[in-house]
Amino acid sequence: MAHAGTLTINRLNKDYRVKDKNLHILDNVSLSIAPGEFVSIVGSSGCGKSTLLRLIIGLEEDYKGEILLDGKPISGTSLDRGIVFQEHRLFPWLSVEQNVGLALQNSSLSDSEKQRSIQEHIELVGLRGFEKAYPYQLSGGMSQRVAIARGLVNRPEILLLDEPFGALDAMTKYNLQKELQHIWEAEGITMILVTHDVEEAVYLGDRVVIMEPRPGRIKRIVPVPLERPRNRMALNFVRIKEEILGEFGINHQEEEALIPALAA
Ligand SMILES: Nc1ncnc2c1ncn2[C@@H]1O[C@H](COP(=O)(O)OP(=O)(O)OP(=O)(O)O)[C@@H](O)[C@H]1O
Ligand SMILES: [Mg+2]
């Protein structure tokens, strides 16, 4: 099992300069994430969710505030932080095992340890038997499984997921959400999931961080004190989901009340 890290974000501010204009993208974002916690982040398009993940992963270093992993400021990208994007970003000319193995380029493991980690993670995401397959031979869901295996193969302390299931059909998405929860439990690592899907956020998260735009900031953090695996139909689940949707001005009861009126 990998070691999970404590992530502390203190008064994070991020600006971009576009044509001599300063754009304030992230405004005073503070968030502390416990080792092994699952945190979901939801918010409207453009509110800075991917920017926040890019800063945590270390792809950009131009920001104000602190990002600490186990008390130490993060510096650049590192094997202790993995990421999965919405598009799987697999190399078409590499097989499944080669795509997963690519993430081990900078690893200090021996060749046989690398092989073992690759096989273990391909198995973990349910792709045993597809080691030699190429991306064109995989479905969208299978490709996303490969991307998850690649994100995990270095046994990171934290896995960041940026809308990993956004492009998948509903059934594939349900299955992968269930499996991601098993993987999170098996690996015992910290996960941060950005999603547009409030149900997905509640299904997976210990907490749901709601962000608002211009500038991107945390509006509210909603705890999800429900046992896993969660039942999407349970009253408590639906209540939390509705509460979060309410933050976006979406009220299903009002919508439902409208249906008979519209049918009349
Ligand atoms: N490299 C960049 N240069 C200038 N502005 C940028 C850059 N990257 C992002 N932005 C701006 O920062 C804001 C936040 O973008 P970001 O991609 O983080 O949003 P998001 O919440 O992930 O949106 P979505 O849900 O659509 O993925 C947007 O207004 C975007 O135009
Ligand atoms: Mg984004």
Side-chain angles (χ1 to χ4, degrees), residues 4-116:
T6 303
L7 183 77
T8 314
I9 298 168
N10 280 332
R11 293 185 304 280
L12 187 64
N13 282 276
K14 169 73 185 165
D15 291 1
Y16 278 121
R17 276 200 83 74
V18 178
K19 291 188 189 156
D20 293 335
K21 269 178 104 182
N22 208 52
L23 297 177
H24 190 39
I25 305 295
L26 290 176
D27 184 56
N28 260 327
V29 172
S30 292
L31 182 65
S32 192
I33 300 180
E37 195 179 1
F38 198 119
V39 170
S40 304
I41 302 179
V42 293
S44 56
S45 186
C47 74
K49 304 179 297 296
S50 297
T51 304
L52 179 60
L53 292 197
R54 268 204 308 280
L55 298 184
I56 298 172
I57 203 79
L59 285 171
E60 285 186 51
E61 298 195 301
D62 178 21
Y63 59 82
K64 293 205 178 82
E66 286 181 316
I67 306 175
L68 309 172
L69 186 55
D70 290 331
K72 286 189 229 103
I74 60 148
S75 159
T77 56
S78 156
L79 300 183
D80 57 29
R81 281 162 278 135
I83 190 157
V84 178
F85 298 98
Q86 177 172 1
E87 345 72 77
H88 51 71
R89 300 190 184 185
L90 301 181
F91 290 103
W93 58 89
L94 297 180
S95 67
V96 166
E97 59 186 6
Q98 288 167 331
N99 266 293
V100 175
L102 213 55
L104 289 169
Q105 259 178 346
N106 296 325
S107 156
S108 58
L109 295 179
S110 70
D111 282 353
S112 64
E113 286 169 328
K114 282 183 186 173
Q115 266 317 314
R116 194 171 336 126

Side-chain angles (χ1 to χ4, degrees), residues 143-255:
S143 302
Q144 219 34 304
R145 288 168 194 263
V146 180
I148 292 171
R150 187 179 52 189
L152 289 169
V153 75
N154 279 300
R155 303 184 189 284
E157 295 184 34
I158 297 186
L159 185 68
L160 308 175
L161 302 119
D162 197 353
E163 297 185 45
F165 309 140
L168 303 177
D169 66 86
M171 286 316 292
T172 309
K173 193 153 99 166
Y174 273 26
N175 283 333
L176 277 176
Q177 288 166 352
K178 205 156 83 184
E179 286 181 32
L180 183 65
Q181 190 219 294
H182 290 316
I183 291 170
W184 168 70
E185 282 171 342
E187 296 284 284
I189 63 172
T190 309
M191 289 195 182
I192 305 176
L193 169 82
V194 163
T195 178
H196 275 123
D197 181 338
V198 171
E199 185 172 300
E200 176 172 292
V202 177
Y203 182 77
L204 287 163
D206 291 313
R207 287 187 289 162
V208 179
V209 175
I210 303 170
M211 290 184 63
E212 57 186 345
R214 286 179 294 279
R217 58 202 185 278
I218 294 178
K219 183 177 192 196
R220 206 182 142 193
I221 300 179
V222 177
V224 187
L226 304 178
E227 271 185 33
R228 292 183 170 90
R230 289 166 176 167
N231 175 357
R232 298 165 199 267
M233 309 299 278
L235 194 58
N236 288 348
F237 186 100
V238 175
R239 271 209 192 109
I240 295 174
K241 189 174 129 185
E242 299 276 316
E243 192 176 332
I244 296 169
L245 287 169
E247 293 289 340
F248 295 100
I250 299 166
N251 182 332
H252 278 156
Q253 273 153 11
E254 268 175 25
E255 277 177 14

